[in-house]
Amino acid sequence: MMRLFRVMEDDRMVWVAALAHENMYGYVANTGRFHDNNALRNDFYMDRDFTYAESGIAEARRLIETGVEPLDEEEYAEILAEWRADQRSLDPTETLSMAAGHNP
């Protein structure tokens, strides 16, 4: 089962996230894919610095298409390089299809 979330920091949307089997994936506009994000997972389960609102498929699709801002290429160069080399990243279309079984 995969659940989708809109992740907010104060009033700003910062991630579209997908939770599957205790792995949290965040959509990265720079790569156009979902990437395993352990820091986001830790925040979801423990820290709660961000606010998580469960999202439906249509909303997640809309946010991916228009609402997720790319990360600054210079400031996040190291992690973006890792994500660009990520062989286990998830395609957004496939991710949304996997979430279709759990649509709040």
Side-chain angles (χ1 to χ4, degrees):
M1 175 182 356
M2 184 167 294
R3 296 167 56 198
L4 300 169
F5 295 90
R6 179 181 63 250
V7 184
M8 306 290 291
E9 182 178 43
D10 300 320
D11 292 332
R12 188 172 68 94
M13 207 271 304
V14 291
W15 295 100
V16 172
L19 179 66
H21 309 292
E22 295 189 14
N23 288 338
M24 182 70 82
Y25 298 86
Y27 177 78
V28 179
N30 306 64
T31 66
R33 299 185 65 86
F34 280 89
H35 298 276
D36 194 353
N37 188 323
N38 197 52
L40 194 57
R41 177 197 179 278
N42 290 344
D43 186 74
F44 180 78
Y45 283 111
M46 296 177 284
D47 301 330
R48 287 294 177 147
D49 291 328
F50 297 130
T51 303
Y52 297 80
E54 200 147 0
S55 174
I57 307 265
E59 179 188 27
R61 181 176 287 113
R62 180 184 58 77
L63 292 171
I64 286 168
E65 291 172 359
T66 63
V68 179
E69 293 184 27
L71 297 172
D72 181 277
E73 289 285 341
E74 289 182 22
E75 184 177 350
Y76 296 98
E78 188 175 318
I79 190 66
L80 285 170
E82 288 179 32
W83 282 333
R84 286 188 173 108
D86 181 5
Q87 297 296 310
R88 296 181 15 219
S89 64
L90 304 176
D91 177 81
T93 302
E94 292 173 12
T95 303
L96 296 178
S97 292
M98 287 186 277
H102 182 81
N103 189 3

